[in-house]
Amino acid sequence: MTNPRQIAFNALRDVHKGAYADVALDRVLQKINLADRDRRLVTELVYGSVRRQRTLDALIDQLATKKSQQQPPDLRTILHLGLYQLRYQERIPASAAVNTTVELAKENGFAGLTGFANGVLRQYIRLAEKSPEPLELPENPVERLGILHSFPDWIIQVWLEQLGFVETEKLCEWMNQTPTIDLRVNLLRSSIEQVESAFKSAGVLVRRIPSLPQALRLIGSTGPIQNLPGFREGWWTVQDSSAQLVSHLLDPQPGEVVIDVCAAPGGKTTHIAELMGDNGKVWACDRTPSRLRKLQQNAQRLNLHSIEICTGDSRNLPQFQNTADRVLIDAPCSGLGTMHRHADARWRQTPESVRELSLLQTELLAHTSTFVKQGGVLVYATCTLHPAENEGVISQFLAEYPHWQIETDSLDLPDSAYSVPPGWLKVWPHQQDMDGFFMVRLRKTNNSE
């Protein structure tokens, strides 16, 4: 079977049964040898249909007599695929989108409903010819943005409170784009110029990112990452620009002891080792042995020797008390800043899961702050844009531990990557064109007990 739409349907069927979108996609793609173009189409259809699920359901509700949730689950998935192509895939002719969807219905047990599928899609085409927006939208701004851009209402609400309507809409649009891939050049093994020149020879386009000395962004499609020049030699690793900012904010120095308390799979750990010239000790702590193995593989490929692995829950590692010059808490979070990379994250998180995460973050911060020596530094970072996991956690910590304070010495960071008060650093994706992140640098003052 090499029909990209059938393969996409198989993956989506698994997603709707609870599988993670990336896992379901990998599973179907590994079974079959597809041309690059077809692989890209399958990927686009799977991630796109998951991302735009709420919008596609609203269209089915509008166009069919039975609501989307009352349709047989597999038929709903087939309609999602057809409507996704019609609405979001300009390069696919409408006739091809309709015919292939009708064919999918026929091949997957809905031979008696091909007329219905055909009717729904053709009705959408007719509406789209009459109006630039065929979808009927409610007046309420939260629901309006949620249905149009396919996010749950509670996430829209969180953003509206911080940004207002216009900026929230821009953020929604940004989050629905196909994600870019950034690289971090390992300056101990190579240089920006060397990597640029190797890529140029291989016909791969990259561009530099202002104020990030090791960052290159890939432009256009490149094929498998591990086939790019310099991967095996450890010249670079994949890491988003925002995540690179975190280790610069930590500012580790050669010869220091640094603890990364939630280290796997190791993007920031290896960056810390590089910034220290691989001179000193970087403790990489994590609860999950399988993810720590990935960290070890990354460190080996990048030829870094200063990293020590510690398997365990960082809330219970008394041996590290008062041992670190610097500590990084890249805290487990709801990931609301990286939803463009994780197509199904918006449907998996809930206000309840955010509450649970903020309790975990509070515990982590209280325990691991004891690892820092007097006068030392702690950086707290998340890839979420929810105040309960960011400003809320830090404000509570500072209220309870008065011998800690925010350091406001800022780096050379992208403009407007700040929020008030000074010292909170917040990266809004639609303004900086990189993952959404929150980070703050704290120092343990000398009057601590």
Side-chain angles (χ1 to χ4, degrees), residues 437-449:
F437 252 83
F438 173 86
M439 52 196 98
V440 66
R441 175 172 149 144
L442 306 170
R443 193 173 287 275
K444 191 177 197 174
T445 55
N446 288 335
N447 62 352
S448 61
E449 51 287 0

Side-chain angles (χ1 to χ4, degrees), residues 137-362:
L137 291 165
E139 284 299 308
N140 175 308
V142 175
E143 285 177 34
R144 188 181 185 86
L145 287 175
I147 289 171
L148 182 59
H149 298 291
S150 192
F151 286 91
D153 287 350
W154 71 270
I155 292 179
I156 298 289
Q157 189 71 54
V158 166
W159 290 344
L160 280 173
E161 283 163 14
Q162 297 175 82
L163 290 170
F165 188 90
V166 173
E167 290 287 304
T168 297
E169 180 145 49
K170 286 180 188 165
L171 178 57
C172 289
E173 286 166 355
W174 193 93
M175 282 291 178
N176 283 328
Q177 296 179 130
T178 304
T180 54
I181 295 174
D182 294 347
L183 310 179
R184 185 189 81 231
V185 175
N186 176 4
L187 299 180
L188 305 180
R189 309 283 292 163
S190 186
S191 66
I192 284 257
E193 292 76 14
Q194 187 177 10
V195 174
E196 279 175 329
S197 137
F199 279 13
K200 194 176 178 184
S201 305
V204 176
L205 296 174
V206 289
R207 68 175 173 80
R208 295 190 191 195
I209 293 167
S211 72
L212 281 169
Q214 293 164 270
L216 287 173
R217 178 161 292 175
L218 295 175
I219 298 161
S221 56
T222 57
I225 285 290
Q226 58 275 23
N227 295 350
L228 292 174
F231 177 81
R232 286 181 185 79
E233 295 82 351
W235 288 2
W236 51 266
T237 194
V238 172
Q239 189 183 35
D240 186 78
S241 299
S242 293
Q244 294 184 41
L245 280 175
V246 174
S247 304
H248 286 295
L249 185 64
L250 184 68
D251 194 24
Q253 300 299 313
E256 289 185 333
V257 173
V258 180
I259 305 175
D260 184 351
V261 300
C262 304
K268 297 181 188 72
T269 315
T270 52
H271 193 195
I272 291 166
E274 288 169 21
L275 291 173
M276 292 164 69
D278 205 23
N279 169 11
K281 183 162 283 190
V282 185
W283 282 99
C285 309
D286 208 276
R287 290 193 302 194
T288 320
S290 59
R291 297 184 73 220
L292 280 168
R293 276 197 294 280
K294 194 158 186 206
L295 186 151
Q296 278 175 301
Q297 289 162 4
N298 282 329
Q300 279 163 359
R301 185 176 61 78
L302 296 165
N303 199 31
L304 298 167
H305 305 287
S306 56
I307 296 169
E308 298 270 352
I309 300 287
C310 171
T311 310
D313 188 325
S314 291
R315 290 171 295 177
N316 185 26
L317 298 173
Q319 70 268 34
F320 286 128
Q321 207 127 10
N322 290 316
T323 61
D325 298 288
R326 296 170 203 263
V327 163
L328 171 62
I329 306 175
D330 180 26
C333 70
S334 58
L336 301 192
T338 56
M339 286 187 293
H340 57 311
R341 296 191 187 282
H342 308 287
D344 44 4
R346 62 188 79 184
W347 313 121
R348 289 183 180 275
Q349 296 297 350
T350 62
E352 186 48 48
S353 68
V354 169
R355 265 193 296 279
E356 285 166 14
L357 284 161
S358 67
L359 291 172
L360 169 63
Q361 292 150 354
T362 302

Side-chain angles (χ1 to χ4, degrees), residues 9 12-13 16-17 56-57 60-61 64-81 101 104-105 108-114 116-117 120:
F9 168 74
L12 286 167
R13 182 193 255 165
H16 292 145
K17 287 177 186 164
L56 299 170
D57 278 341
I60 296 171
D61 291 351
T65 42
K66 264 191 189 168
K67 297 279 187 226
S68 61
Q69 299 298 339
Q70 298 167 314
Q71 301 288 346
D74 284 357
L75 184 61
R76 174 180 166 230
T77 301
I78 290 167
L79 292 173
H80 280 181
L81 278 166
T101 305
L104 267 186
N108 291 282
F110 299 103
L113 290 169
T114 51
F116 162 72
V120 166

